[in-house]
Amino acid sequence: MSFRVLNAGVFTLLQDRGRFKYSHLGVTNSGFLDEYAAFTANRLLDNNLDTNALEIAFPNLILEATKNTTISITGAYCDFFINDILENTWQTHSIKKGDILKIGKFHSGQRVYLAVKNGFDTNKEFGSNSTTLKEQFGKKLEKNDILPFHEHSEFKKRRLHEKFLPKYENNLVLRVLLSYQEEEFSKEEKEKFFCSEYEITPDFNRMACKLKGEAISSNLDGVISEPIAYGAIQIPKDGQPIILLKERQTIGGYPKIGTVLAIDCFKLAQMKIGSKVKFEQIDIQTAQKKLRDFYSIFS
Amino acid sequence: MQIKALSADSLIIYFSDFISKETHNEVKSVYTTLLSLKIDAFIEVVPSYNSILITYDIFEYDYSSIKTYLERSLSSIVEKEEKSSTLVTIDVYYGEEVSFDLNRVAKLNKLSIEEVVEIHTSKIYDVYAIGFLPGFAYLASIDDKIKTSRLETPRKSIPKGSVAIADNQTAVYPQNSPGGWNILGKTTFEFFDKSLENLSSIDFNSKIKFNSISKEQFLEQGGSFEF
């Protein structure tokens, strides 16, 4: 026993950094949709970044602790209660046997991360605890599930400094590296792509984010099926861009104009439907530097 | 061979603009060489019809250094002989209980059902790509005589193990799935097997042949007609 799930919420999944080295067999990487929030949750606990945590997409998760531990909670700003007392997020909390944790209404952001000291003690499947329902790895959290962890009674109070707290807003700039079939998009089409504002449609999940706005067209109907990088931007026949995320198919044949910087994909994961995004061009050196800097802050 | 940066931590190697046996052999040679280099910094190496994606550790390489490394390492590849491929024979039951589109394929190609089965089982197929689902291997090329386009309306659910064809490729659905390919039969062979350390007994280097079996044999192997 460790956490007993009194109420699971509509869509709560166990995730970690992802399942790697099986993409050549069609297995998608999966993993935390918002690595900034998830890695911060682990960092606050001195956990390895790859330690598993719960990714909570809807309110009403209720857990009962049957052991002492320390937890951290990050991601969407929400009503978080321990024994009916409202507590802050983006920090650690001491949990005693018998405590009831509840995640209530979300105020901004779309995903909450709840991590436990040293992670949940669950078997990995092919190197990972990441849940991918479509591939039958893991499952949704359900009422009466048990989430085991090792008891930990030493408490270190840690919170993220205010200046590093993310602001989840209704608009976002997505930095894009032009790649894939970018030469098949004319100068005018590229200009349109970078000057238009796009809206996030309800077609938005762990696999992809479909946008609505100025149609973009290329010289191609399709391409020979090729491997899909994280953040790839597909432009199908209707010209509406689709950004591919953690549970994307490993290969695909739609034309692609480039990829969104991973850091901006993490931010995208916290945006709500109806929000607006704009694309901004970035070059490979800048993209690599930004990504290296991002991962460096956690070490 | 053309190398392009795809994202901050991945690149793609493009080969020709065609799907062909020649291109496939070229991709296979380079893929095999990449794996043999045993570079820890290569996180994913994913081959497809005419391309290979590499996701790499950007603390070990930046784009320009990995591009240089690859150009050097791959510059003198001699196309490898095919002798190192493993042949996998897959038993398939082509009976009416499971071959939803066998009649259609036969009719469209002006052949008898027996002839379609004979043609489908006579070739050794290469794995041109794996994707769509874990273990969904795109096998090529089927004989022109049984080439058939996809169904106009895809099925909402195809049973796991269904053996199918579309255009000039054939594949087996590794799990229940929606799909628009023509179903010719069913197999109990697992393309996606969690009990295996490698998750599958087939990979990009496999060669596949289908073998027609009777209803009795199919049932003996654990086959079922249920969804």
Side-chain angles (χ1 to χ4, degrees):
Chain A
M1 298 282 254
S2 295
F3 275 143
R4 189 189 294 126
V5 179
L6 301 182
N7 200 53
V10 168
F11 201 66
T12 303
L13 306 175
L14 192 65
Q15 295 291 346
D16 59 18
R17 192 165 191 167
R19 184 169 287 107
F20 298 97
K21 308 224 181 256
Y22 295 97
S23 293
H24 61 287
L25 294 174
V27 178
T28 196
N29 296 138
S30 197
F32 299 127
L33 223 47
D34 175 3
E35 285 181 19
Y36 182 73
F39 286 179
T40 302
N42 275 328
R43 192 76 184 78
L44 287 170
L45 294 170
D46 284 327
N47 285 347
N48 288 332
L49 294 189
D50 190 33
T51 305
N52 61 45
L54 292 176
E55 181 177 90
I56 303 147
F58 290 92
N60 296 327
L61 173 70
I62 306 175
L63 304 172
E64 178 188 356
T66 61
K67 279 188 204 168
N68 299 338
T69 187
T70 306
I71 59 129
S72 65
I73 176 165
T74 63
Y77 297 98
C78 62
D79 291 339
F80 172 58
F81 301 95
I82 301 177
N83 300 328
D84 291 326
I85 298 169
L86 195 61
E87 300 283 358
N88 285 329
T89 59
W90 291 88
Q91 67 172 73
T92 59
H93 291 281
S94 171
I95 300 296
K96 298 273 177 292
K97 176 177 169 168
D99 283 350
I100 307 284
L101 284 66
K102 178 176 166 163
I103 289 174
K105 189 175 154 149
F106 288 21
H107 298 286
S108 71
Q110 299 302 305
R111 275 159 185 94
V112 173
Y113 290 89
L114 182 79
V116 92
K117 179 70 183 161
N118 298 323
F120 296 106
D121 196 13
T122 43
N123 289 329
K124 291 193 177 179
E125 287 188 274
F126 296 91
S128 170
N129 278 136
S130 286
T131 303
T132 308
L133 299 177
K134 191 177 81 158
E135 295 174 353
Q136 288 145 38
F137 284 118
K139 61 171 198 65
K140 281 199 302 183
L141 204 68
E142 277 158 25
K143 186 171 171 169
N144 297 324
D145 278 350
I146 304 292
L147 289 162
F149 56 79
H150 293 288
E151 180 144 46
H152 185 86
S153 296
E154 191 202 335
F155 176 60
K156 281 203 185 111
K157 184 169 179 142
R158 286 239 188 89
R159 64 178 181 85
L160 189 68
H161 194 287
E162 211 177 301
K163 70 177 178 187
F164 299 117
L165 289 174
K167 289 188 187 41
Y168 299 134
E169 284 160 341
N170 295 329
N171 51 75
L172 183 63
V173 170
L174 300 172
R175 289 162 290 182
V176 171
L177 178 72
L178 289 176
S179 64
Y180 279 111
Q181 291 82 39
E182 59 114 340
E183 296 107 5
E184 302 294 329
F185 293 84
S186 70
K187 187 159 155 270
E188 292 72 28
E189 291 300 312
K190 281 190 184 117
E191 229 171 85
K192 220 196 312 176
F193 177 74
F194 286 115
C195 291
S196 304
E197 193 177 64
Y198 288 91
E199 186 179 305
I200 295 178
T201 71
D203 214 332
F204 180 18
N205 50 46
R206 286 178 48 80
M207 185 166 146
C209 176
K210 187 161 171 134
L211 303 174
K212 182 171 79 171
E214 266 310 305
I216 303 294
S217 59
S218 69
N219 304 327
L220 305 165
D221 273 334
V223 298
I224 296 173
S225 221
E226 57 189 357
I228 303 178
Y230 177 56
I233 306 158
Q234 272 176 185
I235 311 282
K237 276 209 179 97
D238 64 5
Q240 306 296 301
I242 303 175
I243 303 169
L244 294 168
L245 302 170
K246 291 292 178 93
E247 284 190 29
R248 67 198 177 282
Q249 274 176 217
T250 54
I251 63 174
Y254 285 126
K256 301 162 200 66
I257 195 169
T259 56
V260 174
L261 188 63
I263 302 163
D264 294 345
C265 291
F266 305 151
K267 292 183 189 171
L268 182 65
Q270 296 289 0
M271 307 219 31
K272 71 171 188 253
I273 292 160
S275 297
K276 306 283 200 276
V277 300
K278 265 189 104 161
F279 297 107
E280 183 183 280
Q281 191 175 353
I282 194 178
D283 62 68
I284 181 69
Q285 289 88 359
T286 311
Q288 292 201 311
K289 179 167 192 315
K290 295 268 177 211
L291 195 58
R292 257 183 237 120
D293 288 347
F294 173 83
Y295 285 122
S296 297
I297 65 179
F298 297 105
S299 44
Chain B
M1 207 180 74
Q2 190 201 14
I3 299 176
K4 272 174 123 163
L6 286 186
S7 69
D9 65 357
S10 69
L11 57 85
I12 195 162
I13 306 174
Y14 279 122
F15 299 84
S16 84
D17 286 335
F18 307 103
I19 298 178
S20 69
K21 181 111 174 155
E22 292 67 39
T23 302
H24 172 67
N25 286 338
E26 218 190 318
V27 174
K28 217 153 82 154
S29 293
V30 171
Y31 179 61
T32 310
T33 304
L34 287 171
L35 294 183
S36 72
L37 294 171
K38 289 203 188 341
I39 305 290
D40 283 338
F42 288 178
I43 299 163
E44 300 284 5
V45 184
V46 186
S48 190
Y49 296 92
N50 67 336
S51 58
I52 299 176
L53 170 144
I54 301 177
T55 305
Y56 56 95
D57 183 345
I58 56 171
F59 288 93
E60 290 290 324
Y61 288 98
D62 64 13
Y63 177 62
S64 106
S65 63
I66 196 173
K67 183 166 188 263
T68 307
Y69 174 77
L70 289 171
E71 279 164 349
R72 232 186 315 121
S73 311
L74 304 176
S75 63
S76 53
I77 288 186
V78 171
E79 209 178 281
K80 294 193 163 34
E81 295 283 330
E82 294 188 41
K83 57 189 164 156
S84 55
S85 303
T86 42
L87 177 66
V88 180
T89 305
I90 293 169
D91 288 337
V92 179
Y93 174 55
Y94 291 90
E96 59 175 4
E97 301 92 333
V98 296
S99 58
F100 312 127
D101 302 306
L102 189 47
N103 267 318
R104 173 177 186 261
V105 169
K107 252 174 109 170
L108 284 172
N109 292 289
K110 299 188 173 43
L111 297 166
S112 70
I113 285 177
E114 291 74 25
E115 282 169 324
V116 173
V117 173
E118 163 66 33
I119 292 166
H120 188 246
T121 55
S122 62
K123 264 191 109 166
I124 293 179
Y125 302 103
D126 288 311
V127 178
Y128 273 20
I130 303 177
F132 168 59
L133 282 172
F136 190 99
Y138 292 84
L139 310 175
S141 303
I142 63 174
D143 196 306
D144 276 346
K145 296 202 233 16
I146 55 171
K147 255 175 87 160
T148 312
S149 57
R150 264 159 241 257
L151 300 177
E152 281 209 20
T153 312
R155 288 189 172 86
K156 286 211 164 70
S157 183
I158 294 178
K160 171 180 170 172
S162 292
V163 179
I165 63 173
D167 301 318
N168 63 350
Q169 292 176 67
T170 182
V172 175
Y173 284 90
Q175 57 183 83
N176 289 351
S177 154
W181 290 40
N182 300 279
I183 310 297
L184 301 186
K186 201 170 184 197
T187 179
T188 57
F189 188 92
E190 301 271 6
F191 274 73
F192 178 49
D193 187 350
K194 288 197 196 166
S195 72
L196 294 176
E197 204 185 294
N198 291 325
L199 259 187
S200 187
S201 39
I202 57 108
D203 64 19
F204 194 68
N205 288 315
S206 304
K207 288 207 180 274
I208 312 244
K209 195 166 194 284
F210 296 105
N211 173 51
S212 176
I213 57 172
S214 68
K215 175 154 56 176
E216 291 69 41
Q217 286 172 301
F218 176 65
L219 293 172
E220 241 168 73
Q221 288 177 1
S224 82
F225 304 138
E226 279 147 33
F227 271 57

